[in-house]
Amino acid sequence: MTAELVRGQNHPLSQVRLEIRISAGRPVVAAATLGDENGKVRGVEWVAHPGVPTLPGLEVSRQAAADHRLAVDLDAMPAAVHRVDVLLALPAGVGGPDSFGSVAAPFVAVTGLDGTEVATYTITGLDAESAVVALELYRRQDAWKVRAVGQGYAGGLAELLTDQGLPQAHRLAAGINDAVAQGLARSVSAPPRTTDGDRSRQAAASALGPDQSGSPYGPQGTQGATGPYGPTQDPQSPSGTGYPAGITPSDPAATQPTPPPAPTTGGPVNYSHPRRQNAAPPPPPPTAPPGMPGQPAQPVAGDATGWSMEERLYNQVWGMFEDLARTMAAYRSAVDFADARMEKELDQVLSDPRSRIGGQGDAAREAAQARHAQLVDQAREALDRDLVQLGAEADVVEPALPAAYARWDNPVWQAYRVPMEMPMALRLGDLHLPESDPLRIPMLVRLPLERGLWIDSGASAAFDGSFADSHELRRLAMESAVAHTARLLAVHPAGEFTVHVIDPAGSAARELAPLVQSGVLASPPAAGAAGVAALLGRLTERVDLVQMAVRGGAADSLPPGFDTAQQLLVVHDFPHGFDDRAVTQLRYLADEGPAVGVHLMMVADREDADGYGPLLDPLWRGLLRLTPVPEDHLADPWVGHAWTYEPALVPPGSQVLQQVLAQVAMARTKYS
């Protein structure tokens, strides 16, 4: 029976291998400290956090997320350890909430490896605190217990760690925040969750079986297991923070409406669509055809809530993304449980000298391996069933996607016409997991872009090692940037999106040819140091003007003829051709530009800019990193899987890019 703890209450632990599952609704940092018999943390080496996630007997998450699973093996703890404190903190400096009083109460569960809950604790009563000691596992007379603590700290991690007796607390807290920022930079943030109560998904059914249904990743894990929808780096929010920050619900353009601010006091979070704040969205139409007896209903496109088919498809795609993340978490958890169980059984066999050799030992080992294989097969069967269902849904959703969400080989592009309004989101590529191949989930980011894009042309982008030629990688990176730029132009109404290009040495002339020859650029690519300085100066001045107008409440007083369109600056071959002033301006545009409609797309190899040292670290972290070839560098905001990203490229030999750009150029001419 599960013990539901209140603050200060304790409960004995009958198992030594445990999971601590955390559901917070918004991305939080999970960490843990080890204490001796006096409760003292002896040094930073006794702190597990995203920068150092593994200690003997303890492993924490490597990034901030709405859901966490911490692995604990009390038998593997050093003999000097008598206490384990589980810490939660809100990420600092990433634009999210700054106190637990403005988010839903975090829920913490101590479970066995099979998902059975031992004790749970909902951390209530928090207000201005941004860090909290959630639970304490402590050893008393060779027996372990768990105590609900709930001690909060308004001074954040630094104050909490100081209270734990660490003299290097502030330095350690800064290091943790830096590791979290790097993790969020690769995390895809989810879109804002809609009221999708009618969408009953079975894809996340627990792979652990009916006797192990305590997993929060299955459909019955309701204790705050899912964070708000809302890119990871917002991938992404839990997004209001981070799946590539472009996926978040906020609207950075000065001319666009903004979503309601997050509440500053306790209470329910407003998940209403930022453009429709006066009513809840209608439920999906009840058009799903019935399945065969005993089978689920056949999937249909648009099976999600929303005000339009576009919004329903957007929410449906994100529902599929979350389903795949959670069903994969259930599968991997089941496999981990099977591995741990077999290891324990083999340890028991080896601990008895009589069974180490001979037929009895061999029989015990074979039995343990057979039980392991049975559990893994059961988990794989459940995963395959879920993948079949998700695959069937993908088969009907993909052909129904509008141009902004569709691959370049989708027939919808053959009937392309310049839209009259900006879509909700844009497809930047596909995401998949190794076990789910060939299922692909479209990677959609919200528009307007909330953060810039970085197309990594470095050698690290070669996922399978087949691209050893750096020149080939740079060419592919620029082709990827051109495809993304063309898509951004294509999904905006005529005259509402302007593109500028910096190519200091003119080395990308071949790749830029579709943009240059079609006439969709605002001006020829800026070349040389003078061209770079002039273009950056104009865009920096634009950001300053719009900021002053907005802050002064005089947005209508901008100079006559001022271009109110969204601006995109594509930078190739950085930092060549950039002096120190230009680098500073570029950082300024990356930080301040998105809020006033000036966006950045960098095509660069980070190693080329090593000479600037840590000066440019905030720039790289502030951009959503994409690669020209498949690479598993993005993380989901729910459980933190490493997802393989595949860019949305134009099929070889296709003329669809030129046809679409011709339509855009024609519409721009008529608009002018």
Side-chain angles (χ1 to χ4, degrees), residues 204-535:
S206 173
L208 296 174
D211 59 334
Q212 304 170 28
S213 58
S215 169
Y217 302 107
Q220 299 171 353
T222 59
Q223 294 279 9
T226 53
Y229 263 34
T232 171
Q233 0 269 300
D234 298 347
Q236 284 201 321
S237 319
S239 175
T241 61
Y243 214 105
I247 300 180
T248 56
S250 60
D251 190 338
T255 59
Q256 298 290 342
T258 58
T264 56
T265 60
V269 181
N270 181 6
Y271 294 127
S272 61
H273 191 283
R275 300 181 188 172
R276 314 267 202 311
Q277 300 173 16
N278 55 350
T287 56
M292 298 295 291
Q295 298 295 325
Q298 296 300 309
V300 294
D303 181 21
T305 57
W307 292 91
S308 64
M309 178 57 77
E310 176 195 5
E311 186 172 357
R312 289 170 181 159
L313 288 168
Y314 173 75
N315 289 331
Q316 186 173 15
V317 167
W318 275 95
M320 294 165 58
F321 182 29
E322 182 177 4
D323 287 349
L324 182 54
R326 295 191 181 282
T327 197
M328 195 61 66
Y331 168 73
R332 292 177 177 178
S333 178
V335 173
D336 289 344
F337 167 71
D339 292 343
R341 178 173 174 173
M342 182 176 68
E343 181 182 348
K344 182 178 180 180
E345 292 176 348
L346 292 177
D347 286 345
Q348 291 175 346
V349 172
L350 295 176
S351 64
D352 186 353
R354 295 171 298 178
S355 60
R356 291 178 186 172
I357 57 175
Q360 183 180 355
D362 293 340
R365 280 187 285 270
E366 290 176 1
Q369 292 168 355
R371 283 189 290 270
H372 175 271
Q374 181 182 6
L375 287 173
V376 172
D377 290 344
Q378 177 185 343
R380 185 70 213 194
E381 181 181 354
L383 174 65
D384 289 342
R385 181 176 63 249
D386 295 341
L387 292 179
V388 168
Q389 181 179 345
L390 285 170
E393 188 170 11
D395 289 342
V396 299
V397 168
E398 188 70 45
L401 295 177
Y405 303 175
R407 288 194 294 254
W408 283 110
D409 58 358
N410 192 308
V412 70
W413 286 106
Q414 302 303 322
Y416 168 77
R417 294 293 181 270
V418 177
M420 298 299 294
E421 63 179 14
M422 182 182 67
M424 289 181 58
L426 180 84
R427 185 174 190 158
L428 290 179
D430 294 326
L431 298 169
H432 71 91
L433 293 169
E435 299 94 333
S436 67
D437 200 55
L439 179 63
R440 299 293 190 272
I441 303 295
M443 178 180 168
L444 303 180
V445 298
R446 288 294 292 268
L447 292 178
L449 295 173
E450 190 180 76
R451 70 196 305 177
L453 304 177
W454 166 29
I455 316 299
D456 190 354
S457 60
S460 62
F463 173 67
D464 59 0
S466 61
F467 290 91
D469 188 347
S470 61
H471 296 290
E472 178 69 5
L473 273 174
R474 292 175 187 271
R475 181 188 66 79
L476 290 173
M478 198 60 208
E479 287 183 354
S480 178
V482 169
H484 293 317
T485 302
R487 185 180 288 264
L488 282 163
L489 281 165
V491 303
H492 283 82
E496 293 191 12
F497 197 81
T498 302
V499 177
H500 310 270
V501 175
I502 288 179
D503 185 21
S507 57
R510 177 181 175 184
E511 290 75 24
L512 289 169
L515 298 177
V516 175
Q517 295 173 3
S518 62
V520 296
L521 297 180
S523 59
V532 171
L535 181 52

